[in-house]
Amino acid sequence: MKVHEYQARALLADAGLPVPPGAMVQTVDDAVAKAGELLESGCGRVVIKAQVHAGGRGKAGFVKLVNTTAEVRDAAKFMLSNRMVSAQTPPEGLVVKRLLVAAAVDIAAEYYLAITVDRGRATNTLIASAEGGVEIEAVAERTPEAIHKMPLHPLMGLQPHQARSLAFALGFKGKQTGQAVKIMLALSRLFIETDASLAEINPLIVTPPTDDAPDGRVMAIDAKFNFDDNALFRHKRIAEMFDPSEENPAELRAKNFGLSYISLDGNIGCLVNGAGLAMSTMDIIKLHGGEPANFLDVGGSASDEAVAEAFRIILADDVQAVLVNIFGGIMQCDKIARAIIAAAKEVGFTVPLVVRLEGTNVAEARRILDESRAEIPVMVVATDFADAAKKVCAAASVTA
Ligand code: GDP
Ligand code: MN
């Protein structure tokens, strides 16, 4: 699960990391009011930031530094009435419903700091760079030596000596070093405590020197977290941060029926049971020259309603053919056949529907499908996996 920057900032602040004050708002008037408060309290500038589950906001014009409430109004109006398009959004962009209004800070240097799961090394890894900011992907590509990676102990996380050596490698000076070490250790603790899969601060900044802080201050001014969905049951506060409006509507609809749905780029809709069968179904479709448009996993216990909803979701993707590939283990094939027929009748199919069933009571299932052929003329019953893939690929390429 992803959260918004304002929520990530709250988690950081509660864990003791220095984060400039700010608040989330949903209207232009609230943005102006909040910015007014911040400006009155003595911060010279405020920053208005679109809150969407995608980065690249700075370059897209959705992070704006402003000095007056009139400028706040313009910036907030612009962001709430335009879709944000960046390298990390779909081409049509994202609607912005929430803004963060925060105290802006002066920046002397920008760093990158993140903890994520490195599956290659099978361990959590801290990633840091002195070249943080908006171009970290380019830095990683052009000058990979500028990115430091530190594998972490799975239970103990980042150790103080590791944090210190990283702080030196990043070039922190004087009092900055202690602050950076504290931030890294706190981020590591937070990562473990919250069952995060990504905790990223970009940029981590150092402010210019002042009389009371001659080495400047180290602070987090942007943050991004991803959490392990399977661990959310033990993190009520984080689970409550879920924002359904940021999710793919079809995936959300599927989730509400206990189905898992993944949208892809091709033109063959796939209804399967089990993630393993989903993967092998994708593979065999590709092997026969087709491209899956999606896959919908109905899991182990698909009710008639869930199967009907599954078909509706699949068909909403503008597919040229649909493959139902189900192995009846605990779930019996005859029951599935009946659910498919009921759902197909209810939903109304206009594209070819290839059905391949295998497993418990399959003979009875085939008989049921055969009997319904007249009622569902687009239905083709396949004899086995390869036959199903060939038939659905042929059907999709004819209608495509
Ligand atoms: P992103 O582009 O979506 O990652 O959004 P960020 O919050 O990281 O902002 C992008 C860039 O805007 C940062 O790298 C900074 O250079 C700049 N920026 C953001 N907040 C501030 C601020 O408070 N003060 C200054 N001077 N620059 C800021
Ligand atoms: Mn950023």
Side-chain angles (χ1 to χ4, degrees), residues 7 10 21 25 33-34 38 75 102 113 116 133 188 241 275 278 308 338 363 377 381 383:
Q7 296 163 324
V25 297
K34 184 68 211 170
L38 287 167
L113 179 63
T116 188
S188 165
M241 292 179 175
R338 281 191 200 96
V381 179
T383 50

Side-chain angles (χ1 to χ4, degrees), residues 7-8 12 22 28 44 119 125 131 182 211 219 235 253 308 311 314 326 339 394 398:
Q7 296 163 324
L12 292 181
V28 174
R119 292 179 199 281
T125 300
E131 311 203 8
K182 232 177 115 189
D211 288 343
M219 303 181 105
H235 302 290
R253 232 171 106 188
F311 278 144
I314 287 177
I326 287 190
V398 169

Side-chain angles (χ1 to χ4, degrees), residues 26-159:
Q26 289 177 289
T27 65
V28 174
D29 286 341
D30 285 351
V32 171
K34 184 68 211 170
E37 278 172 33
L38 287 167
L39 290 168
E40 261 169 42
S41 76
C43 80
R45 271 194 303 179
V46 294
V47 58
I48 313 293
K49 311 177 80 173
Q51 300 295 288
V52 285
H53 288 182
R57 297 166 303 166
K59 284 191 167 175
F62 283 72
V63 171
K64 284 206 173 119
L65 289 162
V66 289
N67 298 294
T68 64
T69 47
E71 288 174 356
V72 173
R73 188 169 288 283
D74 288 346
K77 245 188 209 158
F78 171 81
M79 290 183 201
L80 291 172
S81 56
N82 284 283
R83 283 169 166 266
M84 186 190 101
V85 181
S86 82
Q88 297 182 24
T89 67
E92 71 278 13
L94 297 174
V95 174
V96 180
K97 296 196 180 110
R98 301 171 189 218
L99 303 174
L100 171 68
V101 179
V105 289
D106 292 332
I107 299 177
E110 298 191 59
Y111 297 81
Y112 178 88
L113 179 63
I115 300 176
T116 188
V117 183
D118 184 334
R119 292 179 199 281
R121 297 190 207 197
T123 184
N124 299 331
T125 300
L126 188 142
I127 303 169
S129 175
E131 311 203 8
V134 294
E135 292 270 14
I136 193 67
E137 290 84 0
V139 174
E141 207 164 289
R142 266 187 259 125
T143 49
E145 65 281 2
I147 311 270
H148 303 265
K149 290 189 181 171
M150 183 79 84
L152 305 183
H153 187 282
L155 298 177
M156 294 192 289
L158 182 70
Q159 295 301 294

Side-chain angles (χ1 to χ4, degrees), residues 331-348:
M331 187 154 74
Q332 292 158 356
C333 288
D334 55 324
K335 282 203 180 130
I336 302 163
R338 281 191 200 96
I340 291 169
I341 286 156
K345 277 190 206 160
E346 192 198 320
V347 175

